[in-house]
Amino acid sequence: MHTRRIGDVEVSAIGLGGMPMSIEGRPDEARSLATIHAALDAGVTLIDTADAYHRDAHEVGHNETLIAKALASHDRGKDVLVATKGGHLRPGDGSWTLDGSPGYLKEACEASLRRLGVEAIGLYQFHRPDPRVPYAESVGAIRDLLDEGKIRMAGISNANPERIREANEILGGRLVSVQNQFSPAYRSSEPELELCDELGIAFLPWSPLGGISRARELGSAYAPFARIAEAHGVSPQRVCLAWMLARSPVVVPIPGASRPETILDSFAATGLELSAGEVAQLDAV
């Protein structure tokens, strides 16, 4: 349970989601750097980010820049697969907008390359479908970036089964990841998880603990998670991530964190073995 694969890259079975370190309510930079370094010390080798993970309009790519700084200042930084995304935007007023046009996606990728300080992005994902742009055109831009060597692997986010199959076809069978919302509170991505399992594509649940505001409430909202956590002497959050890992070998949760202790507790889920009966109880929630 300690490692998984994304494409041809072996990564830690639990990744680190960077968004809480850059949006509203974010900590100071010192604590964010300490959080990322704690993750690396524990063995995390996958960090998820996006150019849209920022708070103010003038700081696009805040999270990418933060992660690049953290990796450059740690001796294990070169061992990390950084997954970033393009196609989502934040004007700076708290809202989220979309631009899936091929021209924009290619420009966004170039900007992410500069912020991350790399020649090729390890995993680049189309962040969210733009209803104004045909999906094939958006994914076609990702294919072009892959063919040009600007990105090493390609993924998509917030996609239904039809779009997963379409993207994989457009990419010539080179789709390596699907990043969808999935948690005890949000189970509608079950079909996508099952399809990824069938196709051998990594499934990266975002907000696996229910999101920044709800993660602490997981145990009180879902009694079976609290009950099984008490039996093992661990947190409900750790049980939740272990449950996801038990669902399929393609699942790689990316819980967000902004404190060292939070990512350390999440990463410890890689060592928590749940029985088949416990998994069944949690499946039924």
Side-chain angles (χ1 to χ4, degrees):
M1 294 178 70
H2 293 279
T3 61
R4 298 281 159 105
R5 298 198 72 82
I6 299 179
D8 60 359
V9 178
E10 187 174 51
V11 298
S12 54
I14 298 285
L16 169 63
M19 188 174 75
M21 292 180 274
S22 290
I23 63 168
E24 291 80 357
R26 68 193 186 196
D28 60 34
E29 184 175 283
R31 197 177 89 190
S32 292
L33 292 174
T35 299
I36 298 169
H37 286 170
L40 300 184
D41 289 339
V44 170
T45 58
L46 170 66
I47 298 181
D48 177 79
T49 183
D51 60 359
Y53 294 167
H54 62 90
R55 184 185 62 199
D56 304 320
H58 69 277
E59 56 173 21
V60 174
H62 177 277
N63 198 243
E64 292 177 325
T65 302
L66 176 70
I67 288 168
K69 182 175 183 178
L71 297 183
S73 57
H74 196 284
D75 58 5
R76 296 184 186 174
K78 294 181 179 180
D79 299 330
V80 174
L81 173 65
V82 176
T84 192
K85 298 179 285 295
H88 227 345
L89 300 84
R90 299 201 80 194
D93 59 0
S95 66
W96 296 76
T97 59
L98 300 168
D99 191 341
S101 63
Y104 174 77
L105 289 173
K106 292 181 179 182
E107 290 176 5
C109 179
E110 293 286 355
S112 291
L113 281 165
R114 291 192 295 271
R115 285 188 292 265
L116 292 170
V118 295
E119 294 183 359
I121 293 172
L123 172 59
Y124 195 69
Q125 303 163 101
F126 178 38
H127 204 155
R128 187 179 288 272
D130 182 348
R132 301 169 303 171
V133 181
Y135 196 65
E137 291 185 13
S138 300
V139 178
I142 305 298
R143 177 199 59 214
D144 293 346
L145 293 168
L146 189 59
D147 290 341
E148 293 165 9
K150 299 291 180 66
I151 65 177
R152 300 191 189 283
M153 296 187 292
I156 55 176
S157 185
N158 302 297
N160 61 27
E162 180 182 357
R163 284 177 167 155
I164 292 172
R165 293 187 185 278
E166 181 182 2
N168 198 33
E169 182 177 353
I170 293 168
L171 291 166
R174 294 177 293 173
L175 180 67
V176 303
S177 66
V178 172
Q179 184 173 325
N180 275 18
Q181 186 175 15
F182 184 73
S183 69
Y186 194 93
R187 301 282 289 271
S188 64
S189 285
E190 293 273 5
E192 290 82 7
L193 191 164
E194 292 172 4
L195 179 58
C196 286
D197 184 70
E198 174 190 331
L199 299 176
I201 295 171
F203 182 83
L204 282 55
W206 62 264
S207 291
L209 301 176
I212 297 172
S213 62
R214 296 181 178 179
R216 294 181 181 179
E217 303 170 4
L218 194 152
S220 58
Y222 300 95
F225 286 88
R227 186 170 60 249
I228 292 172
E230 183 177 3
H232 285 272
V234 301
S235 69
Q237 292 76 18
R238 196 183 303 186
V239 169
C240 178
L241 295 171
W243 164 67
M244 290 187 179
L245 292 174
R247 294 293 306 273
S248 165
V250 303
V251 174
V252 188
I254 44 172
S258 62
R259 298 175 182 274
E261 56 268 29
T262 304
I263 187 57
L264 293 178
D265 184 71
S266 291
F267 186 72
T270 60
L272 176 59
E273 300 261 357
L274 300 177
S275 69
E278 288 172 329
V279 172
Q281 289 179 54
L282 299 176
D283 284 344
V285 170

